[in-house]
């Protein structure tokens, strides 16, 4: 035990390295005579109040660039800069359950700080690809449409893609309450301050909070804090995974994480690329996603929400994240406007691992339900104006007859829990009814 502890101390102990503030541009501080490494935490003395903490984000000419972890008020030219630590660590332990933390891992829920005996690195590398076991067990999310049509496995990484105001937070709250994971780690990144307590009290509830750790970085906090909140959530999830638990990581949202990194990258002098996002954004996204997954000890099943700008599915962050994940769930504004909740568009959603974790009869039933939904959507305009003639297409006839049953399956009240077994049984009943309606299809095909 002695060697690892000494190694940790060697990385985090302060040194005599000092410098001085030479310039500020926007939220960036330039320090002279301060050759600290990238990622190090520095302490800047102020005329009044406590010292300002800042992180080294790069170098320009002879200057070291620092990005503050709080407001710049009180900083002036010549203020002393001192190296505080060269690596970032987080205290972890079972005492985190049921608590609300800030990006630094300190409790902000008004209760005493938890007693935490262990430390973990904020910049931990993801497990090596060759050490990851295959994902072969389903995880109940508590959302019937996902469990039935987009079955998710323990250790899978999924995306929830949605515009604003289509029920994303409510969906995440239902997952936190009803999922079969032992621990939930929920990161609220860039949220409006008003929405934090609403999510905790209304969407999460006491039952969900009891087995959850909530990390909060609101939209008014510096960009570096919002980026750090994502690393804090991943680190806490890794700690519980290493204890042998199945962890559900819910991050809302990856888009605001990317926007925060865009601020930092541009401040460090990176060139803007697609829609102003610098290259570092597209380098950090896969590192964040890969920290979730299954390991020999436990699993982290992750749902990353993506706030789609202008409901454009091909905007840069949505397109990049979709390619990194093991599946995607799209929330439809059209369905939400009809009062269809959760507003999951199963025809444009996909789980890449469903074929590995769902039974043959489950997959067959899900395929038939997709066919019925697709047939109805393709002919919806004709049906709504009364131009469709019954008998022209048996699949469309069956879809019309089963429309109420299909919508009843896909809709779910907030207070109505579900499971993979429940969803599978409902799907099989729909499949049996569809078979009876389709029995007259020529050639016996369905």
């Amino acid at each position: 035990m002695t060697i690892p502890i000494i190694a940790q101390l060697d990385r985090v102990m302060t040194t005599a390295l000092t410098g001085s503030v030479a310039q500020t541009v926007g939220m960036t501080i330039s320090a002279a005579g301060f050759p600290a490494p990238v990622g190090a935490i520095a302490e800047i003395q102020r005329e009044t109040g406590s010292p300002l903490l800042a992180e080294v984000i790069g170098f320009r000419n002879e200057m070291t660039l620092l990005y503050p972890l709080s407001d710049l008020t009180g900083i002036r030219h010549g203020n002393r800069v001192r190296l505080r630590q060269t690596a970032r660590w987080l205290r972890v332990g079972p005492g985190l359950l049921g608590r609300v933390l800030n990006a630094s891992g300190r409790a902000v829920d008004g209760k005493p700080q938890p007693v935490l005996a262990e430390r973990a690195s904020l910049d931990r590398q993801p497990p090596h690809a060759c050490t990851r076991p295959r994902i072969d067990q389903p995880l109940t999310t508590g959302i019937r449409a996902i469990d039935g049509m987009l079955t998710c496995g323990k250790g899978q990484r999924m995306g929830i893609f949605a515009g604003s105001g289509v029920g994303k937070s409510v969906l995440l709250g239902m997952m936190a309450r009803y999922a079969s994971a032992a621990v939930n780690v929920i990161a609220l990144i860039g949220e409006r301050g008003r929405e934090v307590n609403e999510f905790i009290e209304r969407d999460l509830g006491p039952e969900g909070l009891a087995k959850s750790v909530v990390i909060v970085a609101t939209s008014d906090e510096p960009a570096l804090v919002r980026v750090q909140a994502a690393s804090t959530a991943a680190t806490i999830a890794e700690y519980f995974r290493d204890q042998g638990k199945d962890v559900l990581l819910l991050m809302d949202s990856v888009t605001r994480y990317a926007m925060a990194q865009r601020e930092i990258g541009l401040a460090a002098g990176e060139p803007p690329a697609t829609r102003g996002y610098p290259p570092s954004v597209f380098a950090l996204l896969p590192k964040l996603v890969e920290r979730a997954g299954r390991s020999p000890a436990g699993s982290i099943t992750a749902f990353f929400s993506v706030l789609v700008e202008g409901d454009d599915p091909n905007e840069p962050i949505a397109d990049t994240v979709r390619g990194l994940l093991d599946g995607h769930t799209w929330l439809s504004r059209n369905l939400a406007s009809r009062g269809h909740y959760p507003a999951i568009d199963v025809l444009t959603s996909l789980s890449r691992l469903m074929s590995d974790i769902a039974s043959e009869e489950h997959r067959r039933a899900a395929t038939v339900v997709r066919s019925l939904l697709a047939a109805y959507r393709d002919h919806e305009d004709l049906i709504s104006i009364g131009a469709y003639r019954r008998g022209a297409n048996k699949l469309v006839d069956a879809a019309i007859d089963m429309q109420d049953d299909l919508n009843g399956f896909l809709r779910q009240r907030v207070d109505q829990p579900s499971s993979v077994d429940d969803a599978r049984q409902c799907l099989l009943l729909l499949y049996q009814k569809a078979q009876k309606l389709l029995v007259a299809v020529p050639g016996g095909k369905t």
Side-chain angles (χ1 to χ4, degrees):
M1 289 295 292
T2 306
I3 295 176
I5 292 175
I6 292 176
Q8 290 181 19
L9 290 175
D10 184 55
R11 293 184 63 190
V12 301
M13 284 181 66
T14 57
T15 70
L17 185 63
T18 61
S20 61
V21 174
Q23 185 183 17
T24 63
V25 178
M27 290 292 292
T28 309
I29 303 169
S30 298
F34 187 67
V38 171
I41 302 298
E43 188 178 83
I44 306 174
Q45 300 297 323
R46 291 193 271 197
E47 295 304 299
T48 58
S50 59
L52 171 69
L53 296 182
E55 182 177 323
V56 177
I57 61 170
F59 308 93
R60 184 178 297 145
N61 299 326
E62 299 299 320
M63 300 293 180
T64 299
L65 303 181
L66 300 105
Y67 204 93
L69 290 168
S70 59
D71 192 68
L72 286 177
T73 303
I75 297 295
R76 67 167 179 81
H77 183 275
N79 278 148
R80 182 170 175 263
V81 182
R82 182 176 68 86
L83 179 63
R84 181 162 177 172
Q85 61 187 58
T86 56
R88 299 182 302 170
W89 294 84
L90 183 72
R91 290 195 175 275
V92 292
L96 292 173
L97 287 174
R99 305 304 301 271
V100 181
L101 314 176
N102 63 13
S104 300
R106 292 191 60 81
V108 292
D109 51 10
K111 302 176 185 177
Q113 295 296 323
V115 178
L116 307 170
E118 301 182 58
R119 287 189 178 200
S121 172
L122 272 179
D123 303 312
R124 180 176 173 181
Q125 293 298 311
H128 192 275
C130 294
T131 66
R132 295 177 184 261
R134 286 190 60 183
I135 296 172
D136 54 9
Q137 297 179 359
L139 176 86
T140 290
T141 65
I143 311 299
R144 188 165 53 236
I146 295 177
D147 291 338
M149 304 295 294
L150 309 165
T151 311
C152 178
K154 293 180 179 179
Q156 188 169 346
R157 288 83 54 93
M158 293 281 285
I160 299 177
F161 295 77
S164 56
V166 294
K168 183 171 70 274
S169 296
V170 175
L171 186 69
L172 294 176
M174 290 175 66
M175 285 186 187
R177 285 202 304 274
Y178 304 138
S180 59
V183 175
N184 302 319
V185 178
I186 305 167
L188 303 178
I189 300 172
E191 288 289 331
R192 292 177 284 271
R194 171 188 62 81
E195 293 181 331
V196 172
N197 269 341
E198 286 185 6
F199 176 82
I200 293 172
E201 296 175 7
R202 181 195 62 193
D203 299 329
L204 189 58
E207 178 186 356
L209 182 60
K211 63 172 187 176
S212 302
V213 183
V214 182
I215 298 93
V216 175
T218 53
S219 58
D220 62 319
E221 297 191 66
L224 195 59
V225 173
R226 284 174 270 149
V227 170
Q228 184 177 328
S231 298
T232 298
T235 300
I236 293 172
E238 288 168 338
Y239 164 76
F240 284 107
R241 179 188 62 189
D242 293 343
Q243 305 302 308
K245 299 182 182 299
D246 292 319
V247 181
L248 179 64
L249 173 61
L250 304 174
M251 192 170 293
D252 184 18
S253 70
V254 170
T255 303
R256 294 190 178 106
Y257 166 82
M259 292 171 68
Q261 180 58 36
R262 176 170 63 183
E263 291 182 41
I264 298 170
L266 294 176
E270 283 190 78
T274 309
R275 293 202 186 176
Y277 288 101
S280 64
V281 172
F282 303 101
L284 287 179
L285 283 172
K287 292 182 179 180
L288 175 65
V289 169
E290 286 297 322
R291 292 182 70 172
R294 191 177 174 192
S295 75
S299 68
I300 300 175
T301 306
F303 280 82
F304 299 95
S305 77
V306 180
L307 187 62
V308 182
E309 294 184 11
D311 291 342
D312 178 11
N314 296 316
E315 61 95 15
I317 300 303
D319 191 51
T320 300
V321 173
R322 186 168 61 245
L324 296 172
L325 298 174
D326 304 319
H328 46 270
T329 301
W330 286 92
L331 300 188
S332 166
R333 189 176 301 279
N334 185 31
L335 290 176
S337 66
R338 301 179 187 179
H340 182 120
Y341 289 103
I344 297 173
D345 186 349
V346 297
L347 294 180
T348 56
S349 302
L350 173 72
S351 171
R352 301 183 194 274
L353 296 178
M354 183 173 175
S355 58
D356 295 334
I357 57 180
S359 64
E360 175 64 28
E361 62 176 2
H362 184 169
R363 298 197 304 271
R364 189 186 307 117
T367 300
V368 169
V369 168
R370 278 181 178 272
S371 299
L372 293 169
L373 292 169
Y376 189 88
R377 179 173 295 184
D378 291 343
H379 295 78
E380 188 170 9
D381 291 340
L382 294 175
I383 295 168
S384 62
I385 64 174
Y388 175 75
R389 182 169 54 85
R390 271 189 172 274
N393 187 316
K394 288 288 185 180
L395 190 61
V396 178
D397 292 345
I400 295 172
D401 293 336
M402 294 186 62
Q403 195 58 208
D404 290 341
D405 295 322
L406 296 173
N407 285 330
F409 170 75
L410 296 175
R411 287 175 173 168
Q412 185 177 347
R413 298 195 314 271
V414 174
D415 59 351
Q416 181 184 10
S418 183
S419 69
V420 172
D421 291 335
D422 294 338
R424 181 170 57 246
Q425 292 302 319
C426 291
L427 270 179
L428 293 177
L429 291 175
L430 291 174
Y431 175 69
Q432 292 167 5
K433 184 171 183 178
Q435 288 290 87
K436 294 177 181 179
L437 293 172
L438 293 168
V439 70
V441 173
K445 296 181 180 180
T446 58

